[in-house]
Amino acid sequence: MVIINSVKELKDKVSALRRENKTVGLVPTMGALHAGHASLVSRSVRENDATVVSVFVNPTQFNDKNDLVAYPRTLEADCALLESIGADYVFAPSVEEVYPEPDTRTFSYPPTDTVMEGAFRPGHFNGVCQIVSKLFMFVEPDRAYFGEKDFQQIAVIKAMVADYVSKGTEWAKRLEIHPCPIVREADGLALSSRNTLLAANERAIAPNIYKALKASVAYSKNHTVEETKQQTIADINAIEGLEVQYYDIVNALTLESVTSWDDADHIQGCITVFCGATPIRLIDNINYK
Ligand code: PAF
């Protein structure tokens, strides 16, 4: 496995792969890797001749500077994990390497980037599009892999790629976006790099989020969307130390809120919960149909 810090070296390496007609998979990450990331990387290794994993805590997607400072950074352990599961290249650049000058590009794909996380974290998805578009331009991958824990992020990235395709961009035409299922702890907590920030008592209550989401699917069978939403919020808020920031039940393709279970063929519930005193912001989602 080769660790690369410069954009030029990355581009040279992938150009060499292309000359040999090799397919390239990209797994963008912010490091602090866990089994969820490992599942994306393993899939890329299975489906491509070469796999590039980026490890970069992207400052432009953090609307809260304290969150950026607190974000876990574990490059050495990340590289050991990536080597053990067969990644070929790790791209771990500095902020200056990725942003030699401020990125002033703006991306806007409403409603995917304006609802839920978009409303509560202004600028977040613009930053995600800045870094992910740069990574796509550097690597020009055949396939890119993203975890469904960030359900909304996938919708925004798909909208961004569709936008590049509509402008005739070659790398976008070839690129396939592959969403991958959430990986959970045995007690149901969705794996997240942020889980390492949870104190023991916070970690103990966090699985109640998924427990409530699962219960809500059963509840939804004979209740309205609004009743299901309110019941889920009440179940989670009843646990001391958990506080729902939002729970929305949406069309899984457009991310628009639904008011009836007949409003869309695929319906997803997306939640953000504050956990503990710090608090740590945890997100999760569940499919209703
Ligand atoms: O999902 C993440 O970890 C990040 O948002 C991503 C896609 C790596 C961009 O920084």
Side-chain angles (χ1 to χ4, degrees), residues 215-237:
S216 83
V217 173
Y219 186 87
S220 71
K221 303 292 177 216
N222 42 21
H223 291 86
T224 65
V225 169
E226 188 55 28
E227 285 165 348
T228 304
K229 202 189 288 184
Q230 292 313 325
Q231 185 62 43
T232 312
I233 294 172
D235 282 352
I236 295 174
N237 284 346

Side-chain angles (χ1 to χ4, degrees), residues 27-47:
V27 184
T29 83
M30 296 206 298
L33 303 182
H34 49 65
H37 297 110
S39 74
L40 309 183
V41 176
S42 298
R43 185 159 161 204
S44 175
V45 168
R46 278 198 306 277
E47 296 181 354

Side-chain angles (χ1 to χ4, degrees), residues 28-30 56 58 61 128 131-132 146 150 153:
T29 83
M30 296 206 298
F56 178 65
N58 172 41
Q61 71 188 74
V128 169
I131 184 60
V132 173
F146 296 90
D150 296 294
Q153 172 170 273

Side-chain angles (χ1 to χ4, degrees), residues 82-275:
L82 292 172
E83 178 135 49
S84 75
I85 55 179
D88 301 285
Y89 301 97
V90 177
F91 177 52
S94 64
V95 173
E96 296 70 33
E97 183 68 18
V98 175
Y99 297 110
E101 59 233 20
D103 192 338
T104 54
R105 294 173 302 153
T106 56
F107 298 82
S108 173
Y109 308 111
T112 60
D113 60 348
T114 52
V115 298
M116 300 189 288
E117 291 297 282
F120 285 97
R121 300 182 69 189
H124 168 66
F125 285 122
N126 200 61
V128 169
C129 288
Q130 287 176 338
I131 184 60
V132 173
S133 62
K134 275 181 182 265
L135 293 169
F136 287 165
M137 288 174 207
F138 298 159
V139 179
E140 303 200 356
D142 299 271
R143 300 179 186 86
Y145 299 84
F146 296 90
E148 283 182 330
K149 187 176 74 65
D150 296 294
F151 191 82
Q152 187 174 3
Q153 172 170 273
I154 295 176
V156 173
I157 290 170
K158 280 184 172 170
M160 179 187 79
V161 173
D163 186 29
Y164 277 105
V165 170
S166 75
K167 291 173 180 149
T169 310
E170 283 309 317
W171 60 257
K173 288 191 212 162
R174 192 179 58 231
L175 176 60
E176 292 171 15
I177 301 295
H178 289 270
C180 303
I182 299 177
V183 178
R184 298 183 181 278
E185 299 280 8
D187 58 14
L189 178 64
L191 292 192
S192 164
S193 305
R194 288 173 201 272
N195 294 354
T196 60
L197 303 174
L198 294 169
N201 60 325
E202 296 166 346
R203 175 65 189 79
I205 56 173
N208 286 296
I209 300 169
Y210 184 54
K211 208 170 141 197
L213 290 180
K214 266 200 316 194
S216 83
V217 173
Y219 186 87
S220 71
K221 303 292 177 216
N222 42 21
H223 291 86
T224 65
V225 169
E226 188 55 28
E227 285 165 348
T228 304
K229 202 189 288 184
Q230 292 313 325
Q231 185 62 43
T232 312
I233 294 172
D235 282 352
I236 295 174
N237 284 346
I239 311 286
E240 204 186 323
L242 295 183
E243 193 193 333
V244 175
Q245 186 178 38
Y246 67 82
Y247 185 47
D248 210 352
I249 298 180
V250 301
N251 177 323
L253 296 181
T254 65
L255 302 192
E256 284 161 316
S257 297
V258 296
T259 52
S260 149
W261 298 115
D262 296 326
D263 276 357
D265 291 341
H266 300 286
I267 293 183
Q268 203 80 8
C270 298
I271 198 157
T272 292
V273 179
F274 290 119
C275 180

